[in-house]
Amino acid sequence: MAGNAERNPVKLPPWWTLDPVAEFRIGPRAFPGRIWTASGCFAYGLSGHDIASSEFDSPYTGLGAVVTKTVTPAPRSGNPMPRLCELPHGALNSIGLENVGYERFLQETLPELERRGVPTVVSLAATRPDEFGEMCEALQSTAAGYEHWHGVEINLSCPNVAEGGHDFGRNPETVARCVAVSREALPDRALLAKLTPNVTDVAELAAAAAEAGADAISVINTVIGLEVDLESGLPVLPRRYGGYSGPGILPIGLAKTDEIVQKTGLPVVGVGGIRTYQDALKYFALGAVAVQVGTAQMEDPFAAARVARDLTRA
Amino acid sequence: MNPSPSMVPARQYRATVLSNRPVSTGLIHLVLECDAPFGFLPGQFAMLNFTGAQRRTFGRPLSILAGEGLRAEFLYRVVGSGTADLSRLVPEDEMTLLGPLGTPFPDRPEDRDAVLLAGGVGLPPVLAWWDRHGRETDRAYFGGRDAGDLPRELLPAAWKMSIDRRQDGDDERLFEGRVPELARTDLAATGRGKSFVLSCGPLLLLQAARRLATEHDWPCFVSMEEHMGCGYGACKGCVVPLQPQPDSPDPWRNATCCQDGPVFDADDIVWNRIL
């Protein structure tokens, strides 16, 4: 939040030696930094781009990537209202993957991100594994010459979409199929698989994704949750369940990151509950190669920029 | 055609509470001093959040009542734990403010008079429009629950007021009933030429405002309220169903209340999906 740094000076631990705004590689691609925004929390990376601050030139300052809101083969109008429920340590959401569809995204949004020089990772979700391949092919043929499009994060885990997310993300073979068809279409961009925490063995899924060609694993997506309205006795969200995110899921994200790093040694992009540089440091301490700031970015368009700044040694 | 006002850029501010006091039995007037000059257009809002341990997952979206120099003013009602915390702020407390956000009310079409209808905590954007654009031939109406609910010190003398129920000793000039009835009664008595309607308040008021406008073939703009997450178009958590594009097979299309709104042309909204 604005002014926090003034009240509490940043204290970086001696083991922290990375430069969060220096180039580093994931698979075939060099990213301009290790602090990213998480999918779904900063729209397509264009909303709020012109918000001013006394501390930063723009919300993009120091960012290694903006992971876009998830794009699907056809446009989706999303779930009924209310879609959000604020909780003491985060929020439940049930947006329902509302998006413009990948065709319009490719025609209108991605060129604009390129024009503005926003380092971009495109998040994709589909209802059939083959559709990941089709969307990646279209991406590759539209944006092969783009300088700022760095890769794809396949969303295997969004817990809001009845016909999608769950099944893909819970079965190693399905994860592998989705990754394999995407990999085939993406020769020179980073391919990340975003996994759900709502499974028994996340490392097994990570290994399956890597085996099929993923360059890194993003963990975690939101945790399935529910909130009850005491007055009515009914769930607050019309679809009952939502995805829980925010500071409350930090320990879960850290545990899943650790599980994957310990069991597989794969590069992990840590996501879940990061609001401050200290939160991000915890992921890095466990071996994450980069981190994503999600829910905090919704409250503060400069949240990720703030983390990048605070993690940079003077 | 309604002229579009030129936008004021949004900014993240640090703000200090100057005052936070009730101006009626239900409404609280919050005045902040920002760390940089603050501007806005009537109909826009800001996301306010606490600092330190009190900081919430999301800011509170509040319509802007006034803003000039370093001052930003708001009006709110305690409806949940967030606004309850707001009501406990005292001078010199610190907050963060993100704003101004959203699409404002249009400027006045020169050939039309304004008919303004505000209900309860829907007062700020309508009063802000009046403060900036109001003229003698406009008509403005405010409705409160009862006489105590009327923020008298903020309401201009030209505004007419209604209350749901009159009690012994209440000002006899207060209209007993809802704002739309007051507006109809008054407009019938005074007569009206070409006008346009701006409204903010409960959904039923907005719909009544729209009916009134439709009957006279006047344009109508309403400021909508929705649960919000980010306030700046990032999360798609606050959508309002609008009429679909002409060639679309869909029965509606979503617009964000925070960015495409909160002010919408009342004819664009698919009301039966909301009510």
Side-chain angles (χ1 to χ4, degrees):
Chain A
M1 127 193 20
N4 228 12
E6 277 175 24
R7 280 190 287 276
N8 303 307
V10 174
K11 271 194 232 158
L12 295 171
W15 59 263
W16 176 245
T17 54
L18 292 175
D19 179 354
V21 297
E23 246 187 28
F24 82 108
R25 294 194 82 82
I26 291 182
R29 200 70 196 172
F31 283 77
R34 295 175 188 265
I35 313 300
W36 305 1
T37 58
S39 181
C41 302
F42 198 37
Y44 303 108
L46 296 169
S47 297
H49 67 85
D50 51 359
I51 295 176
S53 147
S54 58
E55 298 171 86
F56 302 94
D57 291 341
S58 90
Y60 303 136
T61 307
L63 293 196
V66 166
V67 185
T68 67
K69 181 157 182 52
T70 295
V71 182
T72 53
R76 293 177 57 94
S77 54
N79 289 339
M81 293 289 291
R83 293 173 164 192
L84 289 169
C85 167
E86 188 188 44
L87 297 168
H89 303 288
L92 282 179
N93 87 78
S94 172
I95 308 292
L97 291 188
E98 175 175 339
N99 77 96
V100 297
Y102 85 103
E103 283 178 10
R104 207 174 129 198
F105 173 82
L106 288 184
Q107 282 162 17
E108 297 173 14
T109 315
L110 196 58
E112 182 61 15
L113 287 162
E114 176 70 9
R115 197 182 67 74
R116 291 181 181 276
V118 181
T120 303
V121 170
V122 178
S123 171
L124 298 176
T127 50
R128 293 180 293 109
D130 288 351
E131 288 173 335
F132 282 106
E134 290 156 22
M135 286 190 288
C136 287
E137 276 169 31
L139 251 171
Q140 185 68 23
S141 66
T142 304
Y146 284 18
E147 189 187 336
H148 303 287
W149 168 48
H150 292 290
V152 165
E153 180 180 86
I154 58 176
N155 177 356
L156 297 162
S157 47
C158 198
N160 297 325
V161 184
E163 74 269 29
H166 280 341
D167 296 334
F168 285 172
R170 287 179 173 175
N171 179 332
E173 284 158 29
T174 319
V175 165
R177 285 220 314 278
C178 297
V179 171
V181 291
S182 305
R183 177 81 281 168
E184 207 172 314
L186 297 171
D188 61 352
R189 308 286 157 156
L191 177 61
L192 297 103
K194 187 166 182 183
L195 300 180
T196 170
N198 307 308
V199 293
T200 313
D201 187 352
V202 75
E204 182 192 17
L205 295 161
E211 179 78 11
D215 298 309
I217 307 300
S218 302
V219 277
I220 55 177
N221 205 318
T222 53
V223 180
I224 294 173
L226 187 152
E227 170 67 332
V228 174
D229 174 47
L230 284 180
E231 213 160 292
S232 67
L234 296 170
V236 171
L237 297 173
R239 295 174 67 101
R240 306 182 77 83
Y241 306 102
Y244 184 38
S245 67
I249 69 165
L250 177 66
I252 303 170
L254 292 173
K256 299 295 176 188
T257 297
D258 193 55
E259 230 178 299
I260 296 172
V261 172
Q262 294 287 332
K263 288 188 184 166
T264 70
L266 292 167
V268 168
V269 176
V271 202
I274 298 175
R275 193 158 63 163
T276 64
Y277 75 95
Q278 292 101 325
D279 302 330
L281 277 174
K282 292 174 185 173
Y283 279 97
F284 285 116
L286 298 172
V289 298
V291 296
Q292 299 176 8
V293 179
T295 303
Q297 188 71 15
M298 291 162 60
E299 191 267 338
D300 171 8
F302 301 91
R306 214 175 291 286
V307 170
R309 179 197 63 192
D310 290 350
L311 286 179
T312 306
R313 285 197 186 274
Chain B
M1 283 297 288
N2 288 283
S4 301
S6 52
M7 300 293 279
V8 179
R11 184 180 180 87
Q12 189 176 57
Y13 294 92
R14 265 176 283 167
T16 310
V17 175
L18 292 178
S19 68
N20 186 36
R21 61 178 187 85
V23 285
S24 75
T25 49
L27 299 171
I28 303 172
H29 183 203
L30 172 66
V31 183
L32 301 178
E33 183 175 75
C34 299
D35 62 348
F38 179 81
F40 80 110
L41 294 168
Q44 290 189 294
F45 67 98
M47 300 297 286
L48 301 184
N49 207 343
F50 310 97
T51 59
Q54 267 198 308
R55 182 183 176 189
R56 296 289 181 125
T57 304
F58 302 131
R60 261 47 202 170
L62 293 187
S63 282
I64 303 163
L65 174 68
E68 204 179 357
L70 299 179
R71 282 166 70 98
E73 299 182 35
F74 304 89
L75 200 63
Y76 62 95
R77 193 190 286 283
V78 174
V79 290
S81 67
T83 41
D85 280 357
L86 269 183
S87 71
R88 287 188 276 272
L89 288 168
V90 296
E92 296 190 25
D93 279 349
E94 285 192 18
M95 306 206 73
T96 57
L97 185 160
L98 185 68
L101 299 166
T103 302
F105 280 125
D107 285 350
R108 168 198 305 283
E110 262 320 306
D111 59 342
R112 289 178 187 269
D113 286 329
V115 174
L116 310 177
L117 292 93
V121 78
L123 177 63
V126 181
L127 182 53
W129 192 94
W130 165 276
D131 283 343
R132 201 160 304 184
H133 303 291
R135 65 187 184 198
E136 216 173 296
T137 47
D138 294 335
R139 308 297 291 172
Y141 309 99
F142 175 80
R145 294 170 182 173
D146 50 43
D149 196 33
L150 302 172
R152 294 280 194 153
E153 64 185 90
L154 298 176
L155 288 167
W159 282 46
K160 301 217 160 179
M161 291 170 272
S162 71
I163 50 174
D164 294 351
R165 208 171 308 112
R166 203 203 312 255
Q167 285 166 348
D168 289 347
D170 282 349
D171 185 342
E172 294 205 346
R173 286 166 300 176
L174 295 175
F175 180 87
E176 186 170 12
R178 297 290 166 100
V179 199
E181 297 166 53
L182 164 62
R184 277 174 194 285
T185 310
D186 185 60
L187 291 172
T190 57
R192 241 354 38 189
K194 274 174 79 178
S195 301
F196 76 118
V197 176
L198 303 180
S199 184
C200 184
L203 275 176
L204 290 174
L205 166 62
L206 303 185
Q207 278 212 307
R210 182 187 171 229
R211 279 195 299 274
L212 175 71
T214 307
E215 285 162 22
H216 294 86
D217 203 19
W218 295 336
C220 177
F221 292 85
V222 296
S223 177
M224 301 290 287
E225 184 180 47
E226 256 309 347
H227 291 275
M228 281 186 191
C230 65
Y232 69 98
C235 72
K236 311 293 175 202
C238 62
V239 291
V240 173
L242 298 189
Q243 301 296 343
Q245 305 287 5
D247 53 347
S248 166
D250 303 324
W252 82 96
R253 70 187 158 94
N254 285 333
T256 51
C257 189
C258 67
Q259 200 173 36
D260 302 318
V263 172
F264 294 97
D265 184 325
D267 285 342
D268 281 349
I269 295 170
V270 182
W271 291 96
N272 61 13
R273 282 196 60 81
I274 303 174
L275 292 161

